Amino acid sequence: MQTNQLLALFGGAMLLLGLVAFFLGRAKAARVRATGTAMYAQPDQYAWFTVLATAGPALVVSAAGAFLMLLLGAEIPALYLLTASLVVAAAGLMVGMSQVRPNFHARQAIERVIRWILVGAAMISIFTTFGILFSIVFEALRFFQMHSFWEFITGTVWNPGASFLAAAGRGDEASSAAQFGSVPLFAGTFMITGIAMLVAIPIGLLSAIYMAEFAPSSVRTLAKPTLEVLAGIPTVVYGFFAAITVAPIIVDVAGFFGLDASFNNAVAPGLVMGIMIIPFISSLSDDVINSVPDSMRQGSLALGMTKGETIRDVVIPTALPGIISASLLAVSRALGETMIVVMAAGMRPNLTANPLEDMTTVTVRIVAALTGDLEFESAETLSAFALGLVLFTVTLSLNLVSVIMIRRFREKYRVNNL
């Protein structure tokens, strides 16, 4: 019997056993209640507890067997695993039925099960984060065994092309000529991200203030969904817009002022990326500003402050932790953008302070390294994991800094309102 057929059989059997458990549990609870005996829960609650007692252990057994087979390589016949799960489900049904008695708190038992399910859902995200980190760290360590970590984080030349010769078996001398200095990549990443944030934060925050404090309801109803549409446009479309429309305009404007600009420059993707992440800041900041109690606005106005002073000195400081969180989300989105940079800024690692020149970012080099023709063991391919590890560290540092800033602003706000 094939695996998909076994899964279908298991799902059908569990559904049937669940229905049987529900109706049997409710019927037994109803019979006990009909005798006039006081019970600690409703019949439906006993019924759902019986369902959980039936399906829960069976799902745990099947998940444990799948884990052993997929991750640890254990050889467990699928038919045996299915049989064991159904036997455990039948045993759980009997245990659940035995618990349908007046002095059993079925509601509390269900709540405990739901609490553990919620804890498990939260742990999945935590374990996933650690799994991503470990998958990057182990491969990055293999790269750092080939090349110096210090040279990687301080080197100013990224020229891994020589490693291709080493991967092709053309000598160790060519491999030693490969240079993996990541400074040009991170410089390009931070420059393009900085340009994007210079566009997104002022426009997004001012848009949020207007929609929350000044816009009529009719304008807000139309403007906010229209602004949020920007977040749904595919990044490749933004890339076309940056390369075909924005970049030539920047070249013409730079030429008007007597400056030389490349058609692949950092300004074009920065501007377009800033437009793309405006909804992240405006929508979240709008929600945060609207959550400020109206009593604070009214109290400020009652003290003689103007509307503008109220927004500047009361509303914005109160909403500042949420605004910082929205800005951090936008920064993370900009740091991970790839397509716009590929199409508008190019792929050449170029360490320069001139945003009118071409440059590239970390994510672009990661994609280039993992989609090339080199074998996985080559230094150029493994360099993608080293870049990913450093980028992960940078974003984690930004998160920590933002948490510290948010806590300080909250403490300052509480002190000022004592």
Side-chain angles (χ1 to χ4, degrees), residues 3 25 57 72 74 88 106 183 227 249 256 275 281 304 329 337 349 351 388:
T3 303
L72 302 182
V88 171
V183 173
L227 187 61
I249 294 176
F256 178 79
I275 296 173
I281 297 178
L329 177 62
E337 179 54 40
L351 182 58

Side-chain angles (χ1 to χ4, degrees), residues 257-301:
F257 290 99
L259 301 175
D260 293 331
S262 172
F263 280 93
N264 289 331
N265 56 73
V267 178
L271 293 176
V272 175
M273 196 183 303
I275 296 173
M276 180 187 68
I277 61 180
I278 284 175
F280 290 92
I281 297 178
S282 65
S283 181
L284 295 176
S285 299
D286 177 46
D287 295 336
V288 172
I289 292 173
N290 280 320
S291 66
V292 176
D294 288 335
S295 59
M296 300 183 67
R297 298 180 177 86
Q298 295 171 1
S300 174
L301 296 174

Side-chain angles (χ1 to χ4, degrees), residues 234-268:
T235 56
V236 66
V237 177
Y238 281 111
F240 281 125
F241 177 65
I244 297 175
T245 304
V246 179
I249 294 176
I250 293 174
V251 172
D252 294 339
V253 172
F256 178 79
F257 290 99
L259 301 175
D260 293 331
S262 172
F263 280 93
N264 289 331
N265 56 73
V267 178

Side-chain angles (χ1 to χ4, degrees), residues 102-353:
N103 60 347
F104 178 69
H105 295 269
R107 180 177 61 82
Q108 296 180 2
I110 293 174
E111 290 178 351
R112 285 195 297 268
V113 172
I114 293 176
R115 187 181 300 111
W116 282 109
I117 292 175
L118 297 177
V119 171
M123 295 302 294
I124 288 175
S125 61
I126 297 175
F127 289 146
T128 302
T129 302
F130 281 106
I132 294 172
L133 178 61
F134 292 148
S135 65
I136 297 175
V137 168
F138 293 143
E139 303 301 333
L141 291 178
R142 295 174 58 189
F143 171 78
F144 291 131
Q145 293 175 355
M146 302 177 184
H147 294 272
S148 170
F149 173 76
W150 182 254
E151 178 186 353
F152 176 77
I153 62 174
T154 61
T156 58
V157 177
W158 182 271
N159 183 25
S163 63
F164 176 80
L165 300 176
R170 298 181 59 180
D172 295 335
E173 183 178 354
S175 178
S176 62
Q179 295 175 289
F180 291 92
S182 62
V183 173
L185 304 181
F186 283 98
T189 300
F190 293 141
M191 179 172 289
I192 294 176
T193 301
I195 295 172
M197 300 312 297
L198 288 176
V199 174
I201 290 180
I203 297 177
L205 182 57
L206 294 177
S207 300
I209 293 174
Y210 170 73
M211 288 189 294
E213 301 293 334
F214 296 100
S217 58
S218 58
V219 175
R220 174 184 169 84
T221 303
L222 179 63
K224 187 172 182 179
T226 304
L227 187 61
E228 292 176 349
V229 168
L230 293 174
I233 299 177
T235 56
V236 66
V237 177
Y238 281 111
F240 281 125
F241 177 65
I244 297 175
T245 304
V246 179
I249 294 176
I250 293 174
V251 172
D252 294 339
V253 172
F256 178 79
F257 290 99
L259 301 175
D260 293 331
S262 172
F263 280 93
N264 289 331
N265 56 73
V267 178
L271 293 176
V272 175
M273 196 183 303
I275 296 173
M276 180 187 68
I277 61 180
I278 284 175
F280 290 92
I281 297 178
S282 65
S283 181
L284 295 176
S285 299
D286 177 46
D287 295 336
V288 172
I289 292 173
N290 280 320
S291 66
V292 176
D294 288 335
S295 59
M296 300 183 67
R297 298 180 177 86
Q298 295 171 1
S300 174
L301 296 174
L303 291 174
M305 300 179 68
T306 64
K307 189 175 182 63
E309 292 172 340
T310 299
I311 295 173
R312 184 191 63 191
D313 298 330
V314 177
V315 177
I316 298 300
T318 306
L320 196 57
I323 295 173
I324 294 175
S325 299
S327 301
L328 176 65
L329 177 62
V331 170
S332 301
R333 180 69 178 85
L335 288 174
E337 179 54 40
T338 303
M339 186 58 65
I340 298 176
V341 180
V342 171
M343 300 180 68
M347 300 182 65
R348 184 171 72 97
N350 182 23
L351 182 58
T352 178

Side-chain angles (χ1 to χ4, degrees), residues 76-115:
I76 303 176
L79 185 59
Y80 291 172
L81 182 60
L82 173 63
T83 303
S85 300
L86 294 180
V87 170
V88 171
L93 174 60
M94 290 187 293
V95 172
M97 289 296 297
S98 66
Q99 295 297 319
V100 181
R101 58 181 188 271
N103 60 347
F104 178 69
H105 295 269
R107 180 177 61 82
Q108 296 180 2
I110 293 174
E111 290 178 351
R112 285 195 297 268
V113 172
I114 293 176
R115 187 181 300 111

